[in-house]
C-alpha cells in the first residue's frame, strides 16, 4: 500500500505544472510505482485502486473547496463535503478499472502479453466522464517526441502505451536481476508464458523507437510549418483584477492597451469577463446575425485602431418575452467594426449554472451566487480584419472549454488560424489550479497543430506552440502585457 500511496501523491504533484520537465519525471516514477504495486496486489485490488484515486484527487484538487466557497457561495462545511464527494465519485473510475483488469486477466493473450492492466486503464480513461478530464500521460507534455503522438491518437492511448512500456520494464529488470527483491518484482512462471519474454521486450523496444521516431518526424514538420507561416503580433493583456473589485477595471485596461499599442500589437486579446457589464445583442437586419452595439464599446473609451477581441457577458430578448444570458467573446476589426461573437457551450456547474435547479428550485438557497447562464451553439471561428489586407480566423475556447479536445478540433476543422482561450481563474485563488489548467490546455496544440493563445485575468497567460511548448508567458498574479509574433499555421 505504501508504494501505491506514494504513486498517487507523486502523480498528483506532477500535475502542478511548475516545472514541466520535473513534472514529467515525477509522473514517470509515479506510473512505474503504480505498475509495481498492481503486480504485487493479490487481494482487494478494486479497493486499493480506489484509494489511489482518492489520494490523487485529494492532493491534486485541494483548491476545489475554496473555489466552491468563492465561486458557488457555499458555506465552507458544505463545500468541503462536496469536495470529498467529488474525490470519491471521480475515483469510481479506478474501481471500474480494477474490475476490467480482473476480467482481462482471465484472457490468456492479454495476460501473457502484459496488456491486461494497460488496456483496463485506457478504456476507463476513454469512456468514463470526469469533471476534469485528466489522463495518466497528461504531465508528459514536455516529452515532445512522445506527446506528439497525440496528433493522431487520443490521450487514453498514450496512457495505455506508457503503462505497457513500464510493464515490460518490470520484466526487463527481473531478467537482469536488478532490484527484483527491493521492487517486489516477482518471477513469472516461464512454463505458462507461451510468448517468450525476449519477444515482448523486443516488440516494446521497437514500439518505443517507432513512436519517438514518428514524434521526431512530426515535430520536424511542425517546425518547418512554423518557420514558413505568416506571423501576427498578438498582445495578451493580463490585468490581474481581484475578486473584490478593488482595482479599477476600465483604467487598468486603458493603460495596458496603450502599452500594447506602443509595442506594435496587431491584435489585442483581453480575457474572459474583461468588460464587466451586460452587452445587449440585437439582430442585424442585413444578414440576420446577432451583434452588439459598437457605440457601447466606444463609450468605454478602450476603442483603438487595432483589432481586438475580449470576453464579456451578453443577453438576448427572445420575442420580447424570454431572455437568454451568455458568457461571451466579442471580436472587433481594426476599424472598430463588429466582427463576430461566440457563446460558451460548456458551462461550469455551481458557477455558471446550478444543476437540477429547475427540478428543485430550493437548491438556489444553498448556492445563491451560482449563475443562470444559457449554453451557446456557435462553433465557428470569429473572422477579424487586422488591417485592410489581412483577415484571420480565431477559434474561441472560453475557460473550461480548452480542456475538451473535440471543441478545439471543431474550431480547427472550421478554419481557425489560431486558437484563443479566454479565462478568468481568479476563483482558484493563489493555488496551483492556474498551472494545472494551463497544463491541460497545452495538449490542444499538439492535437490540432495550431498555436494556442491563453488570455487570462490572473494567469497563467501563455503562448503555446504545437510542439507542446510554452513559447512565452506572464507569471500568475501579475499585471502585464505579453506581445508575441504568433505563427498562423
Amino acid at each position: 500500500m505504501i508504494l501505491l500511496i506514494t504513486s498517487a501523491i507523486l502523480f498528483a504533484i506532477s500535475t502542478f505544472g511548475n516545472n514541466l520537465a520535473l513534472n514529467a519525471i515525477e509522473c514517470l516514477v509515479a506510473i512505474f510505482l503504480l505498475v509495481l504495486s498492481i503486480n504485487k496486489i493479490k487481494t482487494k485490488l478494486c479497493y486499493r485502486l480506489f484509494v489511489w484515486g482518492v489520494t490523487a484527487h485529494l492532493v491534486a484538487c485541494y483548491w476545489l473547496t475554496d473555489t466552491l466557497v468563492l465561486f458557488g457561495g457555499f458555506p465552507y462545511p458544505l463545500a468541503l463535503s462536496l469536495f470529498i464527494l467529488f474525490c470519491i465519485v471521480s475515483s469510481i473510475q479506478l474501481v471500474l478499472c480494477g474490475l476490467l483488469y480482473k476480467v482481462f486477466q482471465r484472457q490468456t493473450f492479454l495476460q501473457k502479453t502484459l496488456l491486461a492492466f494497460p488496456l483496463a486503464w485506457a478504456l476507463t480513461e476513454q469512456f468514463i466522464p470526469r469533471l476534469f478530464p485528466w489522463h495518466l500521460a497528461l504531465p508528459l507534455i514536455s516529452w515532445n517526441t512522445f506527446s506528439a503522438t497525440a496528433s493522431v491518437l487520443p490521450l487514453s492511448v498514450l496512457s495505455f502505451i506508457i503503462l505497457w512500456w513500464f510493464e515490460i520494464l518490470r520484466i526487463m529488470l527481473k531478467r537482469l536481476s536488478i532490484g527484483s527483491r527491493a521492487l517486489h518484482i516477482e518471477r513469472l512462471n516461464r512454463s505458462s508464458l507461451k510468448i517468450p519474454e525476449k519477444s515482448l521486450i523486443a516488440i516494446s523496444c521497437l514500439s518505443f523507437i517507432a513512436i519517438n521516431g514518428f514524434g521526431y518526424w512530426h515535430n520536424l514538420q511542425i517546425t518547418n510549418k512554423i518557420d514558413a507561416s505568416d506571423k501576427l503580433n498578438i498582445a495578451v493583456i493580463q490585468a490581474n483584477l481581484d475578486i473584490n473589485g478593488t482595482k479599477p477595471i476600465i483604467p487598468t485596461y486603458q493603460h495596458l492597451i496603450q502599452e500594447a499599442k506602443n509595442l506594435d500589437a496587431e491584435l489585442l486579446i483581453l480575457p474572459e469577463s474583461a468588460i464587466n457589464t451586460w452587452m445587449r445583442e440585437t439582430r442585424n437586419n442585413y444578414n440576420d446575425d446577432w451583434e452588439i452595439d459598437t457605440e457601447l464599446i466606444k463609450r468605454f473609451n478602450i476603442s483603438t485602431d487595432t483589432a481586438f477581441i475580449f470576453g464579456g457577458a451578453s443577453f438576448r430578448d427572445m420575442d420580447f418575452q424570454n431572455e437568454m444570458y451568455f458568457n461571451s467573446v466579442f471580436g472587433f476589426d481594426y476599424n472598430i467594426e463588429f466582427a463576430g461573437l461566440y457563446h460558451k457551450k460548456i458551462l461550469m456547474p455551481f458557477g455558471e449554472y446550478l444543476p437540477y435547479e429547475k427540478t428543485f428550485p430550493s437548491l438556489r438557497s444553498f448556492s445563491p451566487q451560482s449563475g443562470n447562464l444559457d449554453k451557446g451553439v456557435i462553433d465557428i471561428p470569429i473572422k477579424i480584419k487586422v488591417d485592410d489586407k489581412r483577415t484571420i480566423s480565431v477559434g474561441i475556447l472560453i475557460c473550461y472549454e480548452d480542456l475538451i479536445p473535440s471543441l478545439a478540433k471543431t474550431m480547427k476543422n472550421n478554419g481557425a488560424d489560431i486558437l484563443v482561450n479566454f479565462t478568468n481563474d481568479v476563483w482558484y485563488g493563489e493555488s496551483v489550479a492556474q498551472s494545472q489548467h494551463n497544463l491541460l490546455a497545452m495538449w490542444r496544440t499538439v492535437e490540432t497543430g495550431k498555436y494556442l493563445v491563453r488570455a487570462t485575468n490572473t494567469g497563467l497567460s501563455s503562448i503555446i506552440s504545437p510542439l507542446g511548448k510554452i513559447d512565452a508567458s506572464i507569471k500568475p498574479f501579475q499585471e502585464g502585457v505579453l506581445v508575441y509574433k504568433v505563427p498562423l499555421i
Side-chain angles (χ1 to χ4, degrees):
M1 185 64 85
I2 294 177
L3 281 180
L4 201 68
I5 296 295
T6 304
S7 167
I9 294 173
L10 266 178
F11 177 76
I13 293 173
S14 73
T15 67
F16 287 3
N18 298 320
N19 183 320
L20 292 178
L22 178 60
N23 292 153
I25 294 173
E26 292 166 344
C27 177
L28 291 172
V29 174
I31 295 172
F32 186 45
L33 294 180
L34 175 63
V35 168
L36 293 178
S37 302
I38 293 304
N39 284 277
K40 182 186 176 184
I41 294 173
K42 299 301 181 184
T43 59
K44 299 182 179 180
L45 174 65
C46 293
Y47 165 74
R48 293 170 188 262
L49 281 173
F50 176 75
V51 170
W52 189 97
V54 171
T55 303
H57 283 94
L58 284 171
V59 177
C61 303
Y62 69 89
W63 42 264
L64 192 55
T65 301
D66 290 336
T67 299
L68 287 171
V69 173
L70 291 172
F71 200 25
F74 288 98
Y76 189 86
L78 181 56
L80 180 60
S81 299
L82 286 173
F83 169 56
I84 294 173
L85 179 62
F86 160 77
C87 294
I88 292 172
V89 172
S90 299
S91 301
I92 292 175
Q93 172 192 341
L94 282 301
V95 176
L96 296 175
C97 174
L99 293 173
L100 278 178
Y101 178 50
K102 289 181 178 180
V103 172
F104 292 157
Q105 276 288 78
R106 301 189 190 106
Q107 307 302 312
T108 304
F109 176 77
L110 296 180
Q111 192 268 334
K112 309 276 186 207
T113 55
L114 306 178
L115 293 171
F117 182 62
L119 184 59
W121 187 286
L123 286 174
T124 51
E125 268 195 3
Q126 180 68 24
F127 297 110
I128 304 300
R130 289 150 290 160
L131 180 59
F132 302 112
W134 57 268
H135 295 268
L136 199 61
L138 181 71
L140 301 179
I141 187 73
S142 62
W143 182 358
N144 301 112
T145 54
F146 176 72
S147 61
T149 314
S151 61
V152 293
L153 297 173
L155 276 170
S156 56
V157 176
L158 271 66
S159 297
F160 167 84
I161 292 170
I162 199 71
L163 277 171
W164 187 64
W165 282 348
F166 274 117
E167 287 277 23
I168 301 301
L169 177 61
R170 181 176 62 87
I171 299 302
M172 292 173 65
L173 291 176
K174 185 268 295 182
R175 286 186 61 85
L176 295 172
S177 298
I178 297 177
S180 58
R181 179 176 299 178
L183 297 177
H184 305 283
I185 300 175
E186 298 180 2
R187 293 184 176 275
L188 296 181
N189 185 347
R190 288 180 176 275
S191 62
S192 67
L193 191 65
K194 295 181 180 179
I195 300 176
E197 291 179 18
K198 289 183 179 179
S199 297
L200 285 177
I201 293 172
I203 293 171
S204 67
C205 289
L206 287 174
S207 68
F208 183 90
I209 294 170
I211 287 173
N212 284 278
F214 165 80
Y216 177 82
W217 172 84
H218 175 269
N219 290 343
L220 186 62
Q221 304 304 308
I222 291 294
T223 301
N224 292 336
K225 288 182 180 181
I226 290 173
D227 293 339
S229 297
D230 292 333
K231 312 296 191 298
L232 185 70
N233 213 31
I234 292 178
V236 177
I237 294 175
Q238 181 173 299
N240 195 34
L241 300 171
D242 60 51
I243 197 170
N244 298 315
T246 57
K247 196 173 180 180
I249 297 175
I250 298 301
T252 298
Y253 279 118
Q254 284 175 341
H255 85 80
L256 290 174
I257 287 173
Q258 188 57 51
E259 181 181 339
K261 290 181 65 179
N262 293 340
L263 295 171
D264 298 323
E266 298 171 285
L267 175 64
L268 307 177
I269 302 179
L270 282 65
E272 180 185 20
S273 305
I275 303 303
N276 191 19
T277 189
W278 288 96
M279 305 287 185
R280 182 189 180 94
E281 296 184 19
T282 57
R283 286 278 192 183
N284 184 319
N285 294 328
Y286 177 73
N287 57 19
D288 204 35
D289 284 340
W290 291 91
E291 61 182 29
I292 62 172
D293 187 0
T294 57
E295 291 300 320
L296 182 60
I297 300 299
K298 293 177 182 178
R299 287 202 296 272
F300 280 107
N301 196 30
I302 63 169
S303 58
T304 70
D305 55 358
T306 305
F308 66 102
I309 186 168
F310 65 93
S314 64
F315 71 97
R316 292 178 178 176
D317 286 331
M318 306 299 291
D319 300 325
F320 301 99
Q321 294 179 352
N322 300 317
E323 289 185 340
M324 298 184 70
Y325 299 88
F326 303 102
N327 185 347
S328 306
V329 164
F330 312 99
F332 287 83
D333 298 330
Y334 73 100
N335 55 6
I336 318 302
E337 291 295 324
F338 182 72
L341 55 77
Y342 171 87
H343 300 137
K344 189 177 182 183
K345 300 176 70 175
I346 300 181
L347 303 177
M348 285 298 292
F350 304 112
E352 293 171 315
Y353 77 100
L354 186 59
Y356 306 111
E357 181 184 13
K358 292 182 179 179
T359 306
F360 305 104
S362 60
L363 289 175
R364 174 60 59 174
S365 62
F366 293 98
S367 183
Q369 293 177 213
S370 294
N372 189 25
L373 298 181
D374 295 287
K375 294 182 180 180
V377 295
I378 301 169
D379 56 8
I380 58 174
I382 298 178
K383 295 184 181 295
I384 298 180
K385 295 179 182 178
V386 294
D387 54 40
D388 58 359
K389 295 181 180 179
R390 291 184 299 168
T391 299
I392 68 164
S393 293
V394 181
I396 309 298
L397 303 166
I398 300 180
C399 197
Y400 180 88
E401 292 181 335
D402 63 359
L403 275 59
I404 311 301
S406 59
L407 295 183
K409 291 176 181 177
T410 297
M411 284 293 177
K412 172 195 173 182
N413 294 337
N414 288 338
D417 296 311
I418 58 171
L419 301 174
V420 179
N421 173 239
F422 299 79
T423 288
N424 183 10
D425 281 344
V426 68
W427 309 100
Y428 301 134
E430 296 190 16
S431 69
V432 299
Q434 284 85 357
S435 296
Q436 288 176 326
H437 191 172
N438 192 74
L439 175 62
L440 283 159
M442 290 178 70
W443 287 92
R444 306 295 84 79
T445 65
V446 180
E447 293 163 349
T448 62
K450 300 289 182 181
Y451 264 81
L452 173 63
V453 178
R454 298 194 71 242
T456 72
N457 173 28
T458 56
L460 177 65
S461 297
S462 57
I463 310 291
I464 307 170
S465 82
L467 299 173
K469 295 180 179 180
I470 300 176
D471 284 355
S473 65
I474 305 175
K475 291 182 178 180
F477 316 112
Q478 291 186 5
E479 178 184 306
V481 175
L482 173 62
V483 178
Y484 190 83
K485 289 187 178 296
V486 179
L488 307 177
I489 298 179

